[in-house]
Amino acid sequence: MNAPVSDADLPAHVERALAGFLDRAGEEIVRTEPSVRAGIEALSGFVLGGGKRLRPTFAWWGWRGAGGDPAGPDAEGVLQAVSSLELIQACALIHDDLIDSSDSRRGSPTVHIASAKLHADRGWLGSPATFGLATAVLVGDLALAWADDMFADAPLPAATMAAARPAWRAMRTEVLAGQYLDVRTQATGDASAEAALKIDKLKTAAYTVQRPLHLGAALGGAGDELIATLLEFGGDVGVAFQLRDDLLGVFGDPSVTGKPAGDDLREGKRTLLVALGLQLAAERGDTAAASVIADAIGNAELTDTAVDAVREALEGVGAVAAVERRIDELTGTAMAALDRAHLAEPAPAALTELVVKATQRTH
């Protein structure tokens, strides 16, 4: 018998729900074809190997804010539904790491790197890198398929699931559209602030905060007005979350973030930080700073010394301060929307704490 779901122990409950689902989901196919166990274990290890659990947490508090009762009969079903968001996240991250040619995630080898090593260690035929790429695509696809299964099988009334389904569908489409926009922007070289913000809104804000809140609130029976206010709140928090991520991508401590400093630059990410750096350097006529920033974007061989030079340039032209101001502004407008939402207690305090964690974090 599962322990009652409690607000304070929510991450542990999410972990329990994910572990139980992953065990069940893989049982039949592993019995039928044991060789797929490695791929399933790669997904399970990735999902259960860390993460902030922000998306299920925002969704849970959307449900609680709409009047959901953690001691009520729907709590376990809601836990399963919101925990499925972590499988959407797994799909996005596994594919992101492949798209960006990232070697590490959370301090461990990425799925495609670990799979390539497995191929090499076993002495299999063909290219280890190609095997790693193919495995990461398939493991990410499996995460997306199982996310649908976990959500759809949540033990909740049909009317409750029907109310939440539009949020689920929109979120899946938006995150994939955001990923495509990110790839396309890198290919076109669009380094404008407008392009960076479009990606932030679609790729991060929508599926990190907005739609999880929407999903949770819909599960709690929220009306259109409350959902609209939560979408406004979530949009601002989500963009602020991504802007903090952009800063950490250049200035973060690798021992804390789990990724090498400067990886966003090496991967050619056109973040708002980079866009403002180039814009402000041009406005100031600082050609040296503009050159340092521009030359770093997409340079896979960027050294730590070169990353230090980019940091100095971004700080010197005022881009870092501008991004910090934008984070503060977005946090302020988000909190104003939260006040207008008049959520059931204790959701306002919990969401306020989540805003701080999302926008002022160090990893």
Side-chain angles (χ1 to χ4, degrees):
M1 183 74 177
N2 292 324
V5 183
S6 67
D7 295 334
D9 296 329
L10 183 60
H13 288 292
V14 169
E15 202 82 4
R16 166 175 63 79
L18 287 167
F21 174 82
L22 289 166
D23 278 347
R24 296 190 303 273
E27 280 178 348
E28 184 175 349
I29 189 63
V30 168
R31 279 198 304 270
T32 304
E33 182 46 73
S35 64
V36 303
R37 183 186 297 276
I40 290 172
E41 287 178 348
L43 175 57
S44 296
F46 187 90
V47 172
L48 301 176
K52 305 174 188 70
R53 310 304 186 210
L54 270 179
R55 290 155 190 84
T57 303
F58 274 115
W60 178 262
W61 285 108
W63 177 68
R64 294 282 281 113
D69 180 4
D74 286 349
E76 195 65 30
V78 169
L79 175 69
Q80 177 170 324
V82 303
S83 296
S84 67
L85 292 168
E86 285 297 297
L87 291 170
I88 297 279
Q89 166 75 338
C91 168
L93 292 182
I94 291 167
H95 285 170
D96 256 359
D97 288 340
L98 183 60
I99 290 166
D100 297 335
S101 299
S102 297
D103 292 339
S104 64
R105 166 76 63 180
R106 301 169 185 157
S108 298
T110 51
V111 171
H112 64 280
I113 293 295
S115 299
K117 184 177 185 302
L118 172 67
H119 181 288
D121 289 347
R122 300 287 174 87
W124 290 341
L125 301 177
S127 162
T130 300
F131 177 82
L133 182 155
T135 300
V137 169
L138 295 169
V139 170
D141 288 350
L142 181 64
L144 184 59
W146 280 2
D148 275 341
D149 291 345
M150 188 176 186
F151 175 74
D153 291 345
L156 290 168
T160 300
M161 293 300 292
R165 210 160 277 122
W168 180 259
R169 289 174 177 152
M171 176 196 59
R172 289 180 311 173
T173 301
E174 286 162 352
V175 67
L176 294 173
Q179 284 186 301
Y180 174 75
L181 185 60
D182 191 9
V183 171
R184 189 178 189 279
T185 299
Q186 290 182 55
T188 61
D190 187 347
S192 67
E194 292 76 15
L197 283 171
K198 280 183 184 178
I199 295 168
D200 290 347
K201 288 174 182 176
L202 265 182
K203 187 178 176 183
T204 301
Y207 101 107
T208 300
V209 188
Q210 277 185 308
R211 294 304 180 186
L213 282 169
H214 181 183
L215 182 77
L219 289 169
D224 291 344
E225 185 176 351
L226 175 55
I227 287 172
T229 305
L230 287 174
L231 287 173
E232 181 184 343
F233 165 77
D236 288 345
V237 174
V239 173
F241 173 89
Q242 182 57 53
L243 296 184
R244 178 60 61 198
D245 209 52
D246 294 345
L247 287 167
L248 290 172
V250 178
F251 292 90
D253 180 349
S255 67
V256 178
T257 64
K259 293 193 74 174
D263 253 16
D264 282 357
L265 296 168
R266 296 183 185 94
E267 292 159 8
K269 298 289 186 184
R270 265 68 179 180
T271 64
L272 184 67
L273 175 64
V274 165
L276 290 177
L278 293 171
Q279 177 184 316
L280 291 167
E283 290 172 359
R284 295 173 179 221
D286 192 337
T287 56
S291 178
V292 166
I293 298 167
D295 290 347
I297 302 172
N299 179 0
E301 305 304 321
L302 198 67
T303 64
D304 290 343
T305 300
V307 172
D308 287 339
V310 175
R311 290 172 176 151
E312 185 176 340
L314 290 169
E315 288 182 315
V317 300
V320 175
V323 171
E324 290 285 6
R325 283 196 300 272
R326 187 72 65 96
I327 291 171
D328 288 343
E329 290 165 4
L330 288 165
T331 302
T333 54
M335 295 310 299
L338 182 60
D339 287 343
R340 294 199 310 275
H342 302 298
L343 298 175
E345 296 295 344
L351 285 170
T352 298
E353 184 178 341
L354 278 175
V355 170
V356 174
K357 286 182 178 179
T359 60
Q360 302 300 323
R361 69 192 193 286
T362 58
H363 66 284

